[in-house]
Amino acid sequence: MARLTIYKDSNTNSTAIPNRFIDEFMPDANAAQVKVYLFLTRMLGAGQATSVSDMADKFNYPEKDIIRALKYWEKKGLLSLDYDAAGIPVGIHFKDLEAPTVASPASTSQSLAMFVENDTTSAATLNQTTTGAIYETPSYENERPSYEKPSYSTAQLREFKDREETAQILFIAESYIGRPLTPAEMKSILFFTDVLNFSEDLIDHLIAYCVDRGKKDFKYIEKVAISWAENGVTTPKQARKFSTKYDKNVYAIMNALGKNNSPTAKEAEYITRWTGEYGFDMDIILEACERTVMATDRHRLEYAESILNSWRQENVRHKADIHKIDELYHRKKTAAKPAANNKFNNFSQQNSYNFDELEKELLSN
């Protein structure tokens, strides 16, 4: 088939899209994710604000799909989000895809305000800077939207079962599980469609993926589903790609902890928490594993959990944050250490350790 020659007839108003987005990011994104990114780029170039509801109306998508698309691009590092107290995006900071290295925020990003219906925040003030149109938005704590399963009533479950498309989904699930579903398990399926907005194909793939790994417990299946939703997975193709990466990460973490076996359900729960709920990148998790191996031969998953949980509370996002915490910890230890008067005091101090307290201290680091 002949090649297509593309001509530019006139220099009309247009929106510039970075080549890197087209080459690296667009092929793996679904239609909703691409539409949202292109639309936001268009609005930024025009110096206009938008909202989640505006985009949902424009593209005829549920607002949950718009938020999921925004979080997908945040996970990919193309933008970062500001949230209001309810976890709704109210500000977007675009990252410069053409920047070869990480620079200061002023030189590597542009910001777009998002106005949310019923939000008390006043309209953002437009400023012109050397980086383009910048909207000043209030600073909000960067919180992730919750994917907590609601307490569905009997009436809600009955309404779900009466839907025409539900029969096929339940049939697929029962075929994989090998028995009729309990009401609680049906509520899990309702959760996948109602809150996570999974398609029938994605639910099919989700349950098949878990059953293939010997996991028929719906609590486990829910955790996998939430992990997919948090990482912007909306199609079976994206799920396969994400699962391949996840499996590699699981075994890398297990090996870093000195374990060569496949993870048990409890061990997988820890790892899912670190990569999903805590949102840590692999370099931070592997750093915690290395410290764990150096500190203890027992209960290593629990030990690593205590380290990573403390880092989460300290808002660690990069390894440089860990170094700062270490330096502060050692300065405090040095300042609190009593002066040694003589050799006898030195010997007494060295032999007066409470090893239980020492272990707690290590865990808190």
Side-chain angles (χ1 to χ4, degrees):
M1 185 176 291
R3 291 180 177 272
L4 293 173
T5 301
I6 303 174
Y7 300 96
K8 183 178 182 181
D9 293 334
S10 61
N11 187 20
T12 58
N13 286 340
S14 60
T15 300
I17 303 298
N19 290 336
R20 188 178 169 205
F21 172 80
I22 298 172
D23 296 339
E24 298 181 20
F25 296 96
M26 194 170 71
D28 291 330
N30 63 26
Q33 292 158 355
V34 172
K35 287 180 182 179
V36 166
Y37 185 84
L38 295 181
F39 180 73
L40 292 174
T41 305
R42 162 77 174 89
M43 298 301 285
L44 179 67
Q48 299 177 14
T50 186
S51 70
V52 170
S53 59
D54 285 346
M55 287 187 283
D57 292 339
K58 184 174 185 65
F59 298 115
N60 195 26
Y61 286 133
E63 291 189 7
K64 294 174 185 176
D65 281 7
I66 302 298
I67 294 175
R68 186 177 297 130
L70 293 172
K71 289 184 65 60
Y72 174 82
W73 293 124
E74 182 177 41
K75 186 72 176 180
K76 291 295 183 181
L78 273 65
L79 50 85
S80 61
L81 302 173
D82 294 329
Y83 297 92
D84 65 9
I88 302 298
V90 293
I92 302 175
H93 304 273
F94 275 75
K95 304 299 179 66
D96 186 359
L97 291 182
E98 304 300 335
T101 57
V102 176
S104 63
S107 63
T108 61
S109 67
Q110 294 182 329
S111 301
L112 177 68
M114 296 185 65
F115 301 127
V116 183
E117 293 181 0
N118 300 324
D119 183 27
T120 56
T121 305
S122 61
T125 303
L126 175 65
N127 287 316
Q128 295 294 332
T129 72
T130 57
T131 61
I134 304 295
Y135 285 91
E136 294 181 352
T137 57
S139 60
Y140 294 90
E141 184 179 355
N142 196 349
E143 300 176 352
R144 297 186 174 192
S146 172
Y147 290 110
E148 184 177 350
K149 184 171 73 172
S151 298
Y152 294 112
S153 66
T154 303
Q156 287 175 304
L157 181 59
R158 185 183 302 110
E159 188 275 331
F160 173 64
K161 291 173 63 179
D162 289 341
R163 297 178 194 171
E164 184 176 346
E165 65 274 14
T166 299
Q168 180 66 19
I169 298 176
L170 296 181
F171 175 77
I172 291 171
E174 290 176 347
S175 298
Y176 285 122
I177 300 300
R179 56 170 173 75
L181 300 182
T182 66
E185 291 168 341
M186 292 182 188
K187 290 179 180 180
S188 295
I189 303 291
L190 173 56
F191 169 59
F192 300 154
T193 62
D194 174 50
V195 176
L196 303 186
N197 204 29
F198 279 10
S199 66
E200 180 181 315
D201 288 343
L202 187 55
I203 294 174
D204 185 335
H205 182 77
L206 166 69
I207 300 177
Y209 170 83
C210 294
V211 171
D212 286 345
R213 284 153 181 76
K215 308 295 185 183
K216 296 185 178 182
D217 180 5
F218 266 77
K219 289 184 179 179
Y220 177 88
I221 296 174
E222 282 184 16
K223 289 180 180 179
V224 174
I226 291 172
S227 176
W228 288 2
E230 289 176 339
N231 286 275
V233 172
T234 58
T235 66
K237 179 181 177 181
Q238 291 176 339
R240 283 189 288 270
K241 185 173 182 179
F242 174 76
S243 299
T244 299
K245 178 182 177 182
Y246 171 79
D247 287 344
K248 290 179 180 178
N249 287 346
V250 167
Y251 287 100
I253 292 170
M254 292 291 288
N255 289 335
L257 290 170
K259 296 177 176 288
N260 297 319
N261 58 292
S262 297
T264 65
K266 187 65 176 179
E267 290 170 337
E269 182 180 336
Y270 277 119
I271 295 172
T272 301
R273 184 183 306 145
W274 302 340
T275 58
E277 179 184 342
Y278 292 177
F280 284 135
D281 292 332
M282 280 295 291
D283 60 340
I284 294 178
I285 295 174
L286 293 178
E287 174 71 19
C289 292
E290 181 179 341
R291 297 185 181 207
T292 296
V293 171
M294 296 295 292
T296 183
D297 292 326
R298 300 180 300 116
H299 307 298
R300 285 181 172 175
L301 266 296
E302 293 83 353
Y303 197 103
E305 160 67 16
S306 66
I307 294 175
L308 290 167
N309 189 30
S310 69
W311 287 350
R312 179 178 68 96
Q313 294 173 4
E314 294 285 349
N315 200 30
V316 167
R317 284 294 172 263
H318 306 283
K319 289 190 72 173
D321 299 331
I322 300 174
H323 298 321
K324 293 177 183 177
I325 292 174
D326 287 344
E327 290 175 1
L328 179 62
Y329 172 78
H330 290 305
R331 282 201 298 269
K332 289 182 178 179
K333 289 291 292 182
T334 301
K337 186 176 181 180
N341 295 326
N342 52 48
K343 292 182 179 180
F344 177 77
N345 283 342
N346 286 340
F347 179 82
S348 299
Q349 291 166 8
Q350 291 171 359
N351 287 273
S352 62
Y353 287 127
N354 182 320
F355 286 96
D356 289 335
E357 291 299 319
L358 179 59
E359 184 173 8
K360 290 180 181 178
E361 182 175 296
L362 288 170
L363 288 172
S364 67
N365 182 19

